[in-house]
Amino acid sequence: MNGAPVAHRINRLPWQRWLSAEELARALGLSAEEAERVLRAGRRRGSITINRKGDETLFMRVARHPLPSARLRPSP
């Protein structure tokens, strides 16, 4: 699976909302196996983060390019 389809699928996910693996597969319209591959690729690219609570693993889409930091602002 190359980068473009992965990014396209990840961009369909809601922002800042924890989802279980089943909810994520349903949101992506994929089988559990395909969703697993997209999740692994998204984690490698830094656009998905995880949260483990006991036996449950939750996933969330995160911004890869947050707002510019203070170091980019001109100094006074």
Side-chain angles (χ1 to χ4, degrees):
M1 180 179 307
N2 63 25
V6 171
H8 176 71
R9 292 186 187 278
I10 290 172
N11 287 341
R12 293 173 43 196
L13 296 174
W15 286 102
Q16 303 296 320
R17 193 171 130 219
W18 292 106
L19 299 168
S20 68
E22 295 82 25
E23 291 173 321
L24 229 154
R26 200 173 356 179
L28 294 172
L30 297 173
S31 66
E33 295 82 26
E34 277 293 314
E36 178 76 27
R37 284 187 230 153
V38 169
L39 290 174
R40 271 189 267 132
R43 288 192 61 209
R44 280 194 303 270
R45 288 173 175 83
S47 55
I48 292 181
T49 189
I50 65 166
N51 183 17
R52 290 189 174 100
K53 290 184 178 181
D55 294 339
E56 186 179 25
T57 302
L58 300 174
F59 303 89
M60 179 172 52
R61 177 182 172 198
V62 294
R64 290 184 65 192
H65 304 288
L67 296 174
S69 65
R71 67 179 170 80
L72 297 177
R73 294 186 192 121
S75 58

